[in-house]
């Protein structure tokens, strides 16, 4: 019962920042989005093979994002206080900002990108360079025993086969253990029109409603939901085996989603119309500015901006350059539209009139850093929740 509601056109791999010699062989796929009327899950139609995305060249290094490092530190402290786990496993541990808050001896990392799993291994953590599967959960169980806490951030929504994913968790979780994972919230995306959360790495976009159905189908009980502000609005999901008390936050979220219309296809058709309008307005805004001789730069070479730039066909005609704090992205070009990426230090921002917020989710952090730009008359552009210019 999969019904397509959105066609974003041809897209490259959102995080595959590239050099000029890679332009001719760049990979593209059709980015279409559909809804499963049975489980209520929103997914992209044609999945990209994970090996193409998550490999040794994967550039998204979480420790580079200071607000996220703080976020994971606070999360780890809260989980220790609430659940006091003796053993911890992280799925998609990246370069370790969450797991490093736990003891090396009792923690296990699973990370398919070799560049990152090597980092946590060097820090003394048991690190498996692997995708998360039931087969791997068996292997880990035989080496390390069952886990009291299985955690994942911005990772479960990357995995195609959710039944196998949840089955693997159930297999490795101790009887009174807890599975905690956080991913962008479909409700917040629909509310804010932030269609740029849709890209190859997010084969699924989760509502609490869909997760409740899928976890139940795999013998896990969703018992708590935290609504978070990270990544433009995420949900932290808590699940356990067996009969656990389901907290009020679950019913609250299910009700909120139901009132919004998560269970009706028409909601997704309305969203698709809003996305088309957003594209038209953003192009109108940028083209007007260019027509009036203004110079535009983007801050944050994000996966999100890969979606926006490719869907709206925004290239160097409209945005001269992107700055990003990630060393691995600097000196490269944005996927598909090939806008050059420089470090913030290599650019005199006062040469520009407008900053497009590729990392709109860090709007306050960026605005705070760029006070001089604003004092000199510079303005910001965002498309979330609607296209607007502000200072
Ligand atoms: P994020 O919003 O997590 O991106 P994605 O859409 O790829 O998941 O990443 C933010 C990006 O923006 C990251 O590459 C670092 C960069 N960045 C800056 O360049 N300047 C800043 O001030 C901040 C906060 C982030």
């Amino acid at each position: 019962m999969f019904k397509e509601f959105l066609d974003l056109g041809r897209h490259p791999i959102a995080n595959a920042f590239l050099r000029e010699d890679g332009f001719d062989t760049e990979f593209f796929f059709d980015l279409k989005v559909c809804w499963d009327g049975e489980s209520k899950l929103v997914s992209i139609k044609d999945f990209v093979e994970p090996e193409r995305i998550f490999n040794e060249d994967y550039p998204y290094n979480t420790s580079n994002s200071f607000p996220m490092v703080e976020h994971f530190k606070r999360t780890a402290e809260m989980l220790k206080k609430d659940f006091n786990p003796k053993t911890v496993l992280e799925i998609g541990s990246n370069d370790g900002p969450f797991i490093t808050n736990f003891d090396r001896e009792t923690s296990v990392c699973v990370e398919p990108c070799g560049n990152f799993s090597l980092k946590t291994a060097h820090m003394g953590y048991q690190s498996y360079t692997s995708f998360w599967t039931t087969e791997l959960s068996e292997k880990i169980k035989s080496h390390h025993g069952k886990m009291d806490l299985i955690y994942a951030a911005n990772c479960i929504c990357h995995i195609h086969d959710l039944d196998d994913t949840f089955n693997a968790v159930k297999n490795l979780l101790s009887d009174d253990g807890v599975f905690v994972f956080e991913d962008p919230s479909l409700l917040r995306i629909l509310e804010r029109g932030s269609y740029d959360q849709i890209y190859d790495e997010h084969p699924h976009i989760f509502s609490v409603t869909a997760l409740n159905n899928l976890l139940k189908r795999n013998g896990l009980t969703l018992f708590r939901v935290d609504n978070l502000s990270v990544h433009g609005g995420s949900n932290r999901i808590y699940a356990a085996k067996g009969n656990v008390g389901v907290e009020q936050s679950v019913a609250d979220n299910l009700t909120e989603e139901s009132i919004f219309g998560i269970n009706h296809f028409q909601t997704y058709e309305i969203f698709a119309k809003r996305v088309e309008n957003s594209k038209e307005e953003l192009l109108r805004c940028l083209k007007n500015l260019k027509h009036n001789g203004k110079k535009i730069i983007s801050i944050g070479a994000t996966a999100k901006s890969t979606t926006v730039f490719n869907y709206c066909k925004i290239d160097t005609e409209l945005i001269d350059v992107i700055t990003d704090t990630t060393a691995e992205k600097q000196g490269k070009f944005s996927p598909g539209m090939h806008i050059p990426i420089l470090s913030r230090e290599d650019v005199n921002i006062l040469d520009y009139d407008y900053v497009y917020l590729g990392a709109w989710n860090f709007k306050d952090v960026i605005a705070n850093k760029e006070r001089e730009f604003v004092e000199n008359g510079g303005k910001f552009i965002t498309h979330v929740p609607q296209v607007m210019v502000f200072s």
Side-chain angles (χ1 to χ4, degrees):
M1 258 249 289
F2 283 95
K3 286 166 97 175
E4 184 184 317
F5 62 90
L6 182 61
D7 183 352
L8 294 168
R10 299 283 289 166
H11 282 252
I13 302 294
N15 265 315
F17 299 93
L18 71 174
R19 298 195 191 278
E20 253 168 314
D21 60 7
F23 289 179
D24 290 344
T25 51
E26 197 171 9
F27 171 83
F28 286 86
F29 71 103
D30 288 321
L31 185 52
K32 293 179 179 165
V33 196
C34 55
W35 178 74
D36 178 10
E38 198 182 317
S39 67
K40 316 296 182 220
L41 181 66
V42 166
S43 308
I44 65 175
K45 199 169 174 198
D46 300 313
F47 294 155
V48 176
E49 314 89 271
E51 293 78 7
R52 209 182 253 288
I53 308 169
F54 304 107
N55 51 50
E56 298 201 331
D57 296 325
Y58 187 67
Y60 188 94
N61 156 340
T62 312
S63 293
N64 190 54
S65 222
F66 175 72
M68 291 311 288
V69 173
E70 284 298 297
H71 168 78
F72 289 125
K73 191 163 174 263
R74 281 196 305 274
T75 305
E77 278 161 15
M78 177 277 291
L79 292 171
K80 281 182 199 174
K81 192 164 148 277
D82 280 15
F83 302 106
N84 191 24
K86 308 255 175 315
T87 46
V88 184
L89 175 132
E90 185 178 8
I91 309 170
S93 44
N94 199 272
D95 59 346
F98 174 79
I99 204 76
T100 45
N101 295 289
F102 293 88
D103 287 345
R104 288 173 178 79
E105 294 70 33
T106 50
S107 305
V108 177
C109 305
V110 175
E111 170 56 59
C113 303
N115 47 341
F116 295 136
S117 69
L118 205 63
K119 283 198 181 171
T120 49
H122 278 153
M123 289 187 260
Y125 287 85
Q126 289 287 334
S127 302
Y128 289 81
T129 309
S130 178
F131 289 100
W132 176 248
T133 59
T134 298
E135 202 183 327
L136 179 70
S137 75
E138 273 300 332
K139 188 170 158 190
I140 294 175
K141 191 162 71 176
S142 65
H143 280 80
H144 308 275
K146 290 194 170 186
M147 295 289 145
D148 294 338
L149 169 65
I150 298 182
Y151 178 80
N154 303 304
C155 176
I156 301 300
C157 72
H158 291 176
I159 307 177
H160 298 173
D161 187 345
L162 295 174
D163 288 326
D164 182 67
T165 296
F166 295 146
N167 185 53
V169 167
K170 197 175 70 178
N171 186 33
L172 193 58
L173 201 61
S174 58
D175 288 346
D176 50 3
V178 59
F179 172 38
V180 180
F181 62 105
E182 54 187 74
D183 288 290
S185 150
L186 175 67
L187 179 62
R188 298 289 166 253
I189 291 172
L190 296 176
E191 278 175 348
R192 291 181 187 169
S194 49
Y195 68 89
D196 49 359
Q197 294 277 16
I198 303 168
Y199 48 89
D200 55 291
E201 275 178 39
H202 293 165
H204 308 290
I205 299 172
F206 292 143
S207 59
V208 176
T209 307
L211 286 172
N212 194 37
N213 293 333
L214 293 166
L215 287 162
K216 201 178 286 170
R217 181 160 102 186
N218 287 285
L220 292 164
T221 306
L222 196 169
F223 68 89
R224 182 191 296 174
V225 181
D226 292 338
N227 303 124
L228 312 171
S229 63
V230 291
H231 286 292
S234 297
N235 289 324
R236 185 184 290 136
I237 302 291
Y238 298 71
K241 298 201 282 194
N243 279 334
V244 282
V246 176
E247 299 178 14
Q248 184 60 33
S249 57
V250 176
D252 290 348
N253 275 271
L254 293 176
T255 305
E256 192 189 359
E257 291 188 349
S258 169
I259 290 169
F260 188 85
I262 287 275
N263 297 312
H264 301 290
F265 187 65
Q266 198 197 11
T267 303
Y268 303 94
E269 293 178 308
I270 293 168
F271 175 71
K273 192 74 210 140
R274 180 174 175 185
V275 173
E276 271 175 43
N277 291 341
S278 171
K279 171 182 178 170
E280 280 167 25
E281 276 177 44
L282 184 60
L283 283 173
R284 195 178 310 127
C285 169
L286 297 177
K287 283 179 181 172
N288 268 340
L289 294 174
K290 281 309 262 194
H291 184 72
N292 291 317
K294 304 297 182 196
K295 287 187 75 181
I296 310 167
I297 189 171
S298 179
I299 294 186
T302 56
K304 293 188 284 295
S305 59
T306 299
T307 292
V308 176
F309 294 163
N310 283 276
Y311 174 56
C312 301
K313 302 271 177 294
I314 293 169
D315 60 14
T316 49
E317 293 275 301
L318 294 174
I319 291 183
D320 297 357
V321 68
I322 305 171
T323 67
D324 198 283
T325 48
T326 314
E328 287 79 2
K329 297 179 185 177
Q330 296 160 3
K332 293 188 178 167
F333 292 83
S334 70
M337 289 293 115
H338 304 161
I339 303 173
I341 302 162
L342 295 176
S343 83
R344 172 65 188 80
E345 291 69 36
D346 286 341
V347 165
N348 181 3
I349 200 140
L350 302 182
D351 290 343
Y352 294 86
D353 304 290
Y354 289 83
V355 165
Y356 171 74
L357 288 168
W360 55 263
N361 44 321
F362 292 119
K363 181 177 86 177
D364 295 340
V365 179
I366 294 170
N368 197 34
K369 277 194 210 165
E370 304 298 354
R371 278 195 299 265
E372 198 189 354
F373 169 71
V374 177
E375 280 158 19
N376 277 276
K379 291 194 168 65
F380 295 104
I381 304 169
T382 184
H383 68 284
V384 177
Q386 67 260 330
V387 176
M388 55 184 175
V389 175
F390 63 98
S391 55

